[in-house]
Structure formats: C-alpha cells, structure tokens
Amino acid sequence: MTQTAAPSPTVATTSHADLNRRAAMASSAVALLLLGLKGWAVVQSGSLAMLGSLADTALDLVASLATLLGVWIAAMPDDHNHRFGHGKAEALAALFQVILISFSALGLAWRAVTQFLAGAPAIEAESGIVVSAIAMAATLALLAYQRMVIARTGSLAISTDNVHYKSDLALNLAVIVALVIEHYLHLPGTDAVFAFGIALWLAWGAWGASQEAVDQLMDHEWPIEKRERFLEVVAQHPELRGLHDLRTRTSGNRDFVQFHVWVDGTMSVAQAHRVMDEIEEKLMSEFPGVEVLIHPDPEGHVDEAGLGATDLLAPGPNGESPALAVQGGPGEG
C-alpha cells in the first residue's frame, strides 16, 4: 500500500504564482523603460560606458521575458503529461538567464579592455549621469519588490533575476562614477576599469545562480537541516518503528518527498492507513504545500539493500541521526 498526500490548490499556492508573475512583469516593464532611456542617452552623450549599459539592459529585457515565461509555465497545474507539475520551468528560465548574464559579462569585459586600450573619453556626461540615476532609482524599487516576492515564494527564476538587477545597480553606479571622473576630472581609463570589475561580478553571480538551477534539474536532495527537521516531525508518531529510503527534491516552489516507514506487521490495512494519515497531517502543517508519498512496510522488511535500507530514525553511534552519515554530511548544501 502506498499512501499519497498531494497538496490541493490552496489560496497560498495561487497567491505565490500570482506574486511570481507580477514580479516578472514588473521586471520586464523596468527593463523596457530603461532600454528607451539609455538608447536616448547613448545618442546624446556618445559614451561607450552608456552603450555597454544599453546592451546589458537589452539582455535584461530578454532575461525578464524568459523569467515571465518560466514562472507562468511553472504555475500551470499538473496535467496528464506532467504529473509532478511544471516547476522545473523556473530552473530552465534561470539557466537561460545565466547564459545571458555570462555573455553580458564577456561582452562587458571585452568592451572594457578595448576602451582602456583606445582611451576614448565620453563626449558628454550630463545625459548619461541623469539616465543612470533614474535607472538606479527604478532598479532599487524593483529589487525591493523582488525581495518581498522571493521571501514569500522562494522562486528560483525571480531570485536569478534579482541577482542580475543587483549587478545592473552596480553597473549604473559605475557609469556615473566613470563619466564624472573621465569628463570632469579628465582621468581616462576609469570607465574601463570599473566596467571590467563589474564584468567579473556578473560572471560570479552567473556561476552562483547556475548551481541552484542545476541542483533543481538534477533533483538534488533538500538541505541537510531541512531533512533533519523533516525526520524530527515524522519521529514524533508513537506507532512508527523506523523510516528508510527517504528521497526529497524541489521543483520550482514545490517540495516533494517520499519514504518508507516500518509499522507493526500485525496491523490491518485500515490501521496502517490511519497512521499514514496522521503522519501526513503533521507533515502538512510543518511543511505547507509539500507533496508526500509514504510506503508502509512491516517492521524489518527491506525491499532492497544499500542506501535505502538504513533506519533514519535510529540514533547513530554518537547519538546523531544516521541521515547525516547516510545522506550527506553537515557541509552539504
């Protein structure tokens, strides 16, 4: 007998999907606005720094549209061909953004090197400074809204978009500083140095974002602290004799977990079903929205030897949970 607890469409789940979509639409709107402003500033100033910022904003717009598509698909309900939902669309959107960020970093670094070697100063600074200041204000507002959404939904796609816009904030500040120093203090090369540093930051941010996206696509286990808390909740039921073969993963903003439990072999199907229901009710209160799959076994029964056969509720040799030794050490992410 396998007992499944699938979360029903709740108000919270719907609210999370709506928040993610609104954050993605806000990101696209800001990118579109800044694209127009920076295009005007490039024509007015002739600044290579502003031209690089314009190119980065164009990438922002494409990335934001990809994020919007990703969270829109991820929020779609399960269907016959996607019984686990569409949450991994967020990870795919995040990877697409990582690729764009990486190309942006490479392009910015190349532009910085060529500008430094050429020593070409900006022709006019005022328009570039004003537009960059407006861009920073709009970006700060967007980042604040994104942080609120991420705190409530945990969206990977929005998180990756947030990383990109943090980089844009620094990029706009660098453009202002570079234009001021080069135009008013007459120190050529400052723009290129700032741009190259931001390119390195972009590359580092892309690397970090790619790791989380790959983890979701590869069905990486939950963080060790979260798994330990999960085991603590399950262990509270007095009729359980053990737990083994625990498997966890995350897809978008949905968590999935499956495991086998040992119960008294003399229990009837109805009694075992009652125990499973009680475990699920407790888990759903502690981990809202998680999809649980439980398989009850008579005490001592193991379907297969190896990793899945270890009782994760039994204390280890030093009193710690075996989950630390069997499914990953404390340093695991």
Side-chain angles (χ1 to χ4, degrees):
M1 177 184 71
T2 299
Q3 182 79 1
T4 305
S8 59
T10 62
V11 175
T13 303
T14 303
S15 176
H16 286 179
D18 288 341
L19 281 172
N20 288 338
R21 282 194 291 263
R22 290 171 186 170
M25 287 189 286
S27 176
S28 301
V30 168
L32 188 61
L33 170 65
L34 298 184
L35 189 67
L37 288 174
K38 290 182 180 181
W40 172 80
V42 167
V43 174
Q44 293 296 314
S45 68
S47 167
L48 292 178
M50 182 55 68
L51 180 61
S53 183
L54 172 65
D56 187 74
T57 299
L59 288 175
D60 285 347
L61 179 59
V62 176
S64 295
L65 292 174
T67 299
L68 178 59
L69 179 62
V71 298
W72 201 287
I73 295 175
M76 294 172 62
D78 306 351
D79 57 39
H80 292 296
N81 294 320
H82 304 88
R83 297 300 301 275
F84 290 99
H86 301 79
K88 288 187 178 180
E90 285 200 25
L92 292 173
L95 279 182
F96 181 70
Q97 288 188 66
V98 166
I99 294 172
L100 290 179
I101 295 171
S102 300
F103 276 112
S104 178
L106 288 173
L108 187 58
W110 175 259
R111 181 182 61 82
V113 171
T114 55
Q115 178 174 301
F116 185 82
L117 295 176
I123 298 174
E124 185 266 334
E126 286 78 8
S127 59
I129 292 173
V130 170
V131 168
S132 294
I134 294 174
M136 288 182 66
T139 303
L140 282 170
L142 177 63
L143 288 174
Y145 182 60
Q146 286 180 330
R147 282 195 299 270
M148 182 273 291
V149 172
I150 294 167
R152 295 182 59 180
T153 70
S155 170
L156 175 59
I158 302 300
S159 297
T160 307
D161 205 36
N162 185 262
V163 170
H164 198 177
Y165 274 98
K166 284 179 181 176
S167 301
D168 286 350
L169 191 64
L171 176 60
N172 287 307
L173 179 61
V175 170
I176 292 175
V177 173
L179 287 174
V180 169
I181 293 177
E182 288 207 4
H183 188 79
Y184 296 105
L185 302 182
H186 306 291
L187 293 176
T190 304
D191 177 29
V193 172
F194 272 84
F196 191 81
I198 293 172
L200 294 178
W201 187 16
L202 279 170
W204 179 253
W207 171 256
S210 68
Q211 300 308 297
E212 189 173 355
V214 170
D215 280 349
Q216 282 206 17
L217 291 173
M218 294 296 292
D219 289 334
H220 193 276
E221 290 286 330
W222 290 353
I224 191 70
E225 297 82 3
K226 187 174 181 179
R227 277 178 280 158
E228 286 300 298
R229 176 56 186 158
F230 190 89
L231 291 175
E232 289 174 5
V233 174
V234 176
Q236 294 172 8
H237 199 285
E239 295 183 80
L240 286 189
R241 305 295 175 84
L243 181 151
H244 62 288
D245 203 10
L246 172 66
R247 304 184 187 191
T248 60
R249 66 186 180 91
T250 298
S251 180
N253 58 6
R254 292 180 63 183
D255 285 329
F256 296 86
V257 59
Q258 63 185 65
F259 55 93
H260 291 222
V261 293
W262 282 313
V263 296
D264 187 344
T266 63
M267 274 188 175
S268 67
V269 173
Q271 290 172 323
H273 189 278
R274 172 187 56 78
V275 172
M276 300 305 106
D277 282 344
E278 291 170 357
I279 295 173
E280 290 163 3
E281 183 178 358
K282 182 63 176 177
L283 288 173
M284 293 296 287
S285 65
E286 292 284 336
F287 299 87
V290 67
E291 184 167 312
V292 181
L293 180 67
I294 308 177
H295 182 85
D297 289 326
E299 184 176 5
H301 175 79
V302 177
D303 292 325
E304 58 183 40
L307 183 65
T310 302
D311 182 6
L312 300 182
L313 299 186
N318 298 320
E320 81 281 1
S321 168
L324 289 174
V326 174
Q327 296 196 334
E332 182 186 22

